[in-house]
Each structure stands twice: as C-alpha cells, then as structure tokens.
C-alpha cells in the first residue's frame, strides 16, 4: 500500500505547495495527490492555484508519482483535459494518474453554464472519459452528445497511458464507475459506508482494479490545536456529497458552517495529537481492500505533519504492511 500526501490548492499558494511537495518526498511519502479548484471552500482557506500548471513544476522538482482530481465537461473541455494529461504523461512517463469526477458547482459554474442535475453530470462525465481515453490513444474524435468535439486529435502522445480513475462517494456512483473506470478514488466516510462503496465498485466490474482512499485528519502538538485547525479550515467541508456538489459560493458554505459545532468535526475528520492513534486509524483503513491512502492534514500545520509522519508514522505503517504481506503469503 502506498501512502500519499494531499496537495490542497484551496489552502496553500502554489509556491508553498511546491515546497511542501519536496518536503513530503524527503519525508518518505510515496506519491502526491493534487486537488483542482477554481475557488476555495471558504475565505480562511483563501487559495485556488491552477493545478495543471503547478503539476508540471512539482513533477519536475520531485521524483514522486502524482495524481489529481479533475472534472471535465464544463470548466474544462475534455479535449483540453486530454491534451494536458498527455503533456504531463509524456514529460513524466509512468508518474501521472487522473481521477475524473462530475464536479462541484462552486468550481464549474464559473463558465456561466447551467449546473446540471446529477444524472446529466454523470452522463457528461462518462462521455468525457471516453473522449479522453480515445484521444490519448491517438484517435481523431468527432462527438455530438452532452459535450461536443470537432476534429480533435492529439499530436503529442505519452508512451505510457495514464490510468483514468473515477471519483465517487456513494455506492451508486461507485457501482456505475466500476464498469468503465480504471480505478476508484473515494474519500473518508464512516467505515461501514466505505465498505458499501468498495463492495459496489468491486461487484460491478472493479474486482481487480485499484482503489485510492483519501483520509481527512488534523494533527497538531495538542488535540485542542488540532481541533481548532480543523474547525477553522474544514468546517465547510463536512456536509453530504450532494450539498458539496450543489452549493455555489464560499459565502454559502460559510453560512452553513455557522451551525457546525466543534464536536461535530470528530465525525468527519480524525483529530488527535497522538501518533499511535493515527497508526491505529490508518491500519484500520488498510484492511478495507484499498490500494493506496492519501493523507490530508486539513489544518495549516503542514511542516510538523510531514516531519512527524515521515519520521514516526510512515515507517511504522510500512513495517506493519510488510509483516501482513509476509503472513498472507505464508498462508497461500
């Protein structure tokens, strides 16, 4: 199992994220996942760098694999997404993966189009994924559907085709994604719900495909600091997926977050100052039949998080994974 670091463009400037990416590599993280936002979720976060531009710089100044979440179809035309993916994959062979999602109104509505209902967004996502895959194979595409493409062809192609995952939070979307995506990206939810999401994906075409799980946590020198940092940065991000998808402005999210109590955060973010507790939490996720974990420390104390997890937690986890693999192999 690989352990990844979340590069959150909503929370940090691109220059700061470059420095943090290098620190994450030095600390022993296995890969880096990049968000892709036009707006932050709230004014306290306060950033929204352009991910595709940042990825070129970040991949040049590190040697790690990278992944990102991208929503083609409204803010990005799928042909342009395919061109960006092909460029990064050609420059950095075998180091780039993309998870495609149906998007959120807070980001996608900036183009002025109507924000579609979820079924149309899923249809658009599927069309975009098929278009991107065909373009990455070198085909010339003409397409009339929810999206339109005319005489599109990529002249610079990667030697190694990057996998296209689907980002999904519900069992219904995961089941649908299992039929066409190369893998699944999902996020921190109650364990029983995650089991349903994973089972839905595995049972509908995703049996042998990788699953990446993004885990939200807040780590600091004291639990009080960890809780305060989670509230300040992430209280706008704990709502149901349909609310996150359809809410349109940071101000709207901030209004909803006025009703969030500090104790509510514990149901949505792992909050602690104790390293052993995080080792236990992450090991519990490793039992869920997932391939990779992305760790997102949602507060602003990234340097301490990277240093302490690199020094204490990641080595302990990897040693545990080795022991588990050896034990499993002996019983085969």
């Amino acid at each position: 199992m690989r352990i990844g670091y979340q590069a959150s463009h909503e929370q940090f400037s691109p220059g700061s994220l470059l420095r943090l990416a290098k620190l994450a590599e030095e600390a022993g993280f296995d890969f880096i996942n990049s968000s892709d936002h036009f707006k932050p979720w709230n004014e306290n976060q306060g950033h929204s760098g352009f991910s595709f531009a940042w990825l070129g710089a970040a991949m040049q100044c590190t040697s790690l694999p990278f992944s990102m979440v991208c929503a083609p179809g409204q803010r990005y035309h799928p042909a342009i997404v395919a061109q960006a993916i092909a460029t990064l994959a050609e420059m950095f062979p075998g180091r780039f993966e993309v998870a495609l999602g149906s998007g959120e109104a807070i980001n996608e509505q900036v183009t002025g189009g109507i924000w579609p209902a979820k079924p149309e967004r899923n249809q658009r996502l599927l069309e975009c994924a098929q278009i991107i895959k065909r373009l990455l194979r070198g085909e010339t595409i003409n397409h009339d559907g929810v999206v339109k493409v005319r005489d599109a062809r990529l002249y610079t192609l990667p030697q190694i085709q990057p996998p296209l995952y689907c980002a999904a939070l519900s069992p219904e979307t995961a089941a649908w994604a299992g039929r066409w995506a190369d893998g699944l990206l999902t996020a921190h939810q109650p364990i029983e719900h995650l089991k349903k999401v994973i089972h839905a994906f595995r049972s509908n075409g995703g049996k042998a495909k990788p699953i990446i799980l993004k885990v939200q946590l807040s780590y600091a020198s004291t639990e009080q600091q960890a809780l305060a940092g989670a509230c300040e940065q992430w209280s706008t991000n704990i709502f149901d997926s349909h609310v996150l998808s359809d809410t349109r402005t940071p101000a709207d999210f901030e209004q909803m977050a006025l009703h969030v109590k500090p104790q509510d955060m514990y149901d949505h973010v792992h909050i602690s100052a104790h390293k052993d507790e995080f080792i236990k939490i992450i090991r519990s996720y490793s039992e869920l039949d997932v391939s990779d974990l992305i760790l997102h420390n949602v507060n602003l104390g990234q340097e301490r998080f990277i240093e302490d997890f690199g020094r204490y937690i990641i080595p302990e986890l990897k040693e545990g994974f080795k022991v588990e693999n050896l034990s499993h192999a002996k019983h085969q």
Side-chain angles (χ1 to χ4, degrees):
M1 177 178 289
R2 300 184 305 168
I3 299 175
Y5 171 76
Q6 175 71 10
S8 178
H9 285 276
E10 307 95 289
Q11 296 177 274
F12 301 95
S13 69
S16 295
L17 282 178
L18 279 184
R19 180 175 56 83
L20 294 173
K22 289 188 280 189
L23 289 176
E25 179 175 34
E26 293 166 4
F29 284 85
D30 297 310
F31 69 103
I32 294 174
N33 184 67
S34 171
S35 63
D36 180 44
H37 266 243
F38 193 87
K39 298 176 185 176
W41 301 98
N42 60 65
E43 294 295 332
N44 286 330
Q45 292 178 354
H47 291 281
S48 61
F50 184 46
S51 300
F52 279 116
W54 180 82
L55 281 162
M59 295 178 79
Q60 177 63 28
C61 72
T62 66
S63 61
L64 292 178
F66 278 69
S67 58
M68 74 172 297
V69 182
C70 175
Q74 190 159 336
R75 181 169 41 126
Y76 299 129
H77 191 279
I80 303 305
V81 173
Q83 185 183 29
I85 292 171
T87 298
L88 289 166
E90 192 278 335
M91 290 192 294
F92 308 105
R95 289 177 55 198
F96 190 43
E97 300 174 348
V98 181
L100 302 177
S102 59
E104 293 114 359
I106 192 171
N107 299 309
E108 312 311 322
Q109 66 165 357
V110 297
T111 57
I114 294 172
W115 181 239
K118 179 64 171 174
E120 184 177 343
R121 298 204 306 272
N122 279 356
Q123 177 60 33
R124 181 173 68 184
L125 173 58
L126 179 58
E127 289 184 21
C128 288
Q130 292 168 338
I131 290 163
I132 291 167
K133 283 186 176 184
R134 292 177 62 193
L135 286 169
L136 290 172
R137 292 197 296 262
E139 297 181 32
T140 298
I141 304 298
N142 286 281
H143 180 84
D144 283 294
V146 179
V147 294
K148 299 184 184 301
V149 184
R150 290 290 177 272
D151 298 321
R153 175 190 164 196
L154 296 179
Y155 286 81
T156 297
L157 296 171
Q159 292 182 344
I160 300 174
Q161 292 290 311
L164 299 181
Y165 292 53
C166 179
L169 295 175
S170 70
E172 294 77 17
T173 304
W176 169 74
R179 297 190 286 271
W180 62 265
D182 297 324
L184 177 72
L185 170 67
T186 191
H188 179 139
Q189 298 181 74
I191 291 288
E192 290 307 312
H193 184 83
L194 280 174
K195 288 180 179 178
K196 293 177 182 178
V197 171
I198 292 168
H199 177 74
F201 182 73
R202 293 289 190 219
S203 302
N204 290 277
K207 184 176 181 180
K209 297 175 181 179
I211 295 176
I212 302 174
L213 172 63
K214 179 176 174 285
V215 178
Q216 276 83 244
L217 59 93
S218 186
Y219 170 74
S221 57
T222 69
E223 185 166 332
Q224 184 178 7
Q225 291 175 344
L227 177 58
C231 291
E232 191 256 353
Q233 286 288 302
W234 215 249
S235 60
T236 50
N237 297 59
I238 68 171
F239 304 107
D240 290 341
S241 59
H242 71 277
V243 175
L244 294 175
S245 295
D246 292 340
T247 304
R248 296 176 179 270
T249 69
D252 291 337
F253 278 102
E254 289 172 350
Q255 187 65 33
M256 291 189 298
L258 292 175
H259 304 285
V260 175
K261 299 179 178 66
Q263 282 300 121
D264 297 337
M265 298 301 296
Y266 284 93
D267 293 331
H268 305 276
V269 179
H270 295 298
I271 299 169
S272 180
H274 301 292
K275 302 175 186 65
D276 289 345
E277 186 170 342
F278 282 113
I279 290 172
K280 181 179 178 181
I281 289 166
I282 295 169
R283 279 181 173 161
S284 71
Y285 283 121
S286 73
E287 299 170 359
L288 286 178
D289 188 24
V290 297
S291 314
D292 303 310
L293 293 177
I294 301 165
L295 303 184
H296 182 190
N297 185 47
V298 302
N299 67 59
L300 296 181
Q302 298 297 299
E303 291 84 353
R304 183 186 183 93
F305 161 70
I306 291 170
E307 180 180 354
D308 285 1
F309 272 59
R311 180 177 296 177
Y312 304 109
I313 295 177
I314 292 176
E316 181 76 17
L317 288 169
K318 289 185 176 179
E319 187 60 34
F321 295 155
K322 288 179 184 177
V323 171
E324 290 172 9
N325 288 338
L326 285 172
S327 176
H328 180 72
K330 287 179 181 179
H331 290 86
Q332 291 297 308

